[in-house]
Amino acid sequence: MVISKPVSSSVAILLGTYNGAGHLAAQLDSFRAQTYPHWTLWASDDGSTDNTPALIEQFLRQPGVKGQLLSGPRRGFCDNFMSMVCHPAIEAEYYAFADQDDVWLDDKLSRAVAWLETVDPAVPALYCSRTRLTDAEGTPTGLSPDYRKAPGFGNALLQNIASGNTMVFNQQARRLLQKAQGTPMVVHDWSLYQIVSGCGGAIRFDPTPTVLYRQHGNNQIGNGMSPLRRLRNFIAAHKGRAAGWNDRNYQVLMRVADSLTPDNARRLAAFRQIRHSSLLTRLRLMAASGLYHQQPAGMLTTLTYVLLNRL
């Protein structure tokens, strides 16, 4: 029996919210403006004390809008998103993470779905894109980096080029991410990039921005490309943050160990062994891990981590 695919694939928008009333209306309006209309909104509110839930409920009552407001686990934004990834009532062909303070450009879903439809549904697939940065008032201030090197597991071990607010992924990618439920993550989007690339999935980084990424004082992550932020990250990594993050990422990847490709399983084992080895062996294992960074400065920074045994 051949099961035909729906004529129009559905997208479940997974919106995580917490005290986001100040910017939420613009994001909700951008969902309605999508040129791809086959979406349903699932919003998980993580205990807001402002009128965020009321705004969502008002939006869901609008004609033609389908969706539901859920209660989040109240353990932070990462667990809030994972609660939707694992929610049994949420079913669609594709899933899109959404942040409360951004604005989607009107072709975001259409661009993502057009590419995802070219991938075999049995293959985990992840779409992500560049973003257009704005200030708190929504005035454009620049662009996020245009990563030229292809996405891959060797890159995912070092950095996350797949910003969660741009991610759209298929059912197979979701199933893999669900296996990591309950394992502490650095952040859900980095884990998804590592999992999909490690398990031989398809990844598309679109150089065309699809999101207006609002930068303000309450960003959970924000733009990490400013010189001051890079310096702070470098110092924090050498004080142990990189090793701690790698420990968390490793535990997450162990939850999908049976789905890693043989080559990527070997790369992960070599990467894990770096910190337990002598200097010369660390350099050899760095090569065996297939590590690469999107920027030359990032690769030099990684080399310092290896030389000083901070991975």
Side-chain angles (χ1 to χ4, degrees):
M1 177 181 178
V2 176
I3 301 176
S4 60
K5 204 173 182 183
V7 174
S8 297
S9 296
S10 60
V11 179
I13 299 174
L14 310 181
L15 172 65
T17 64
Y18 177 72
N19 288 343
H23 301 299
L24 181 58
Q27 176 68 302
L28 295 175
D29 287 344
S30 76
F31 297 158
R32 292 218 67 170
Q34 290 299 297
T35 58
Y36 189 85
H38 308 290
W39 54 265
T40 301
L41 175 63
W42 296 84
S44 181
D45 187 73
D46 217 26
S48 292
T49 56
D50 64 3
N51 66 332
T52 292
L55 288 172
I56 295 169
E57 288 174 341
Q58 181 181 8
F59 180 75
L60 292 173
R61 287 195 294 267
Q62 294 184 31
V65 175
K66 298 178 182 179
Q68 187 173 336
L69 175 61
L70 307 170
S71 296
R74 303 193 182 195
R75 294 191 300 268
F77 73 96
C78 184
D79 280 353
N80 195 23
F81 279 110
M82 285 300 296
S83 73
M84 290 185 282
V85 168
C86 297
H87 198 293
I90 301 177
E91 284 293 334
E93 277 74 48
Y94 306 120
Y95 305 87
F97 290 135
D99 290 347
Q100 64 188 8
D101 45 6
D102 297 328
V103 173
W104 285 7
L105 299 180
D106 59 8
D107 62 348
K108 172 188 166 62
L109 290 182
S110 62
R111 294 183 68 86
V113 171
W115 177 78
L116 287 163
E117 295 279 76
T118 68
V119 181
D120 184 338
V123 176
L126 169 64
Y127 170 95
C128 56
S129 79
R130 206 174 183 189
T131 62
R132 188 173 298 279
L133 306 175
T134 77
D135 62 18
E137 286 70 44
T139 302
T141 59
L143 295 169
S144 65
D146 182 10
Y147 299 117
R148 300 302 179 91
K149 298 176 183 176
F153 190 56
N155 178 232
L157 288 172
L158 293 182
Q159 67 175 144
N160 181 28
I161 67 168
S163 183
N165 56 352
T166 71
M167 282 181 162
V168 187
F169 50 99
N170 69 358
Q171 184 70 264
Q172 191 60 24
R174 181 199 185 191
R175 291 191 184 108
L176 288 169
L177 185 58
Q178 285 175 333
K179 291 184 178 182
Q181 172 71 339
T183 303
M185 296 177 176
V186 178
V187 66
H188 59 288
D189 53 5
W190 193 6
S191 285
L192 184 57
Y193 177 35
Q194 290 191 336
I195 287 170
V196 172
S197 60
C199 296
I203 300 173
R204 160 71 171 160
F205 177 81
D206 190 344
T208 299
T210 63
V211 171
L212 300 181
Y213 188 5
R214 194 187 305 269
Q215 304 294 297
H216 54 82
N218 295 320
N219 285 108
Q220 290 288 346
I221 297 178
N223 175 32
M225 299 309 296
S226 70
L228 182 57
R229 174 67 69 86
R230 285 183 170 186
L231 177 61
R232 289 174 176 170
N233 287 342
F234 180 82
I235 293 171
H238 276 275
K239 287 184 175 180
R241 190 179 71 179
W245 283 1
N246 289 333
D247 286 342
R248 285 193 172 200
N249 288 338
Y250 179 78
Q251 294 304 320
V252 169
L253 287 167
M254 284 297 94
R255 298 292 293 271
V256 297
D258 58 345
S259 298
L260 294 173
T261 69
D263 283 346
N264 286 333
R266 285 191 288 270
R267 291 187 180 100
L268 179 60
F271 182 72
R272 184 66 177 170
Q273 194 60 32
I274 287 175
R275 76 172 65 165
H276 305 294
S277 303
S278 65
L279 175 58
L280 291 178
T281 303
R282 290 201 299 271
L283 293 172
R284 179 181 61 79
L285 290 170
M286 178 182 174
S289 302
L291 300 178
Y292 66 97
H293 203 281
Q294 293 289 337
Q295 296 98 354
M299 202 65 224
L300 286 174
T301 299
T302 300
L303 180 59
T304 69
Y305 297 161
V306 173
L307 292 174
L308 299 175
N309 204 14
R310 295 294 186 266
L311 284 178

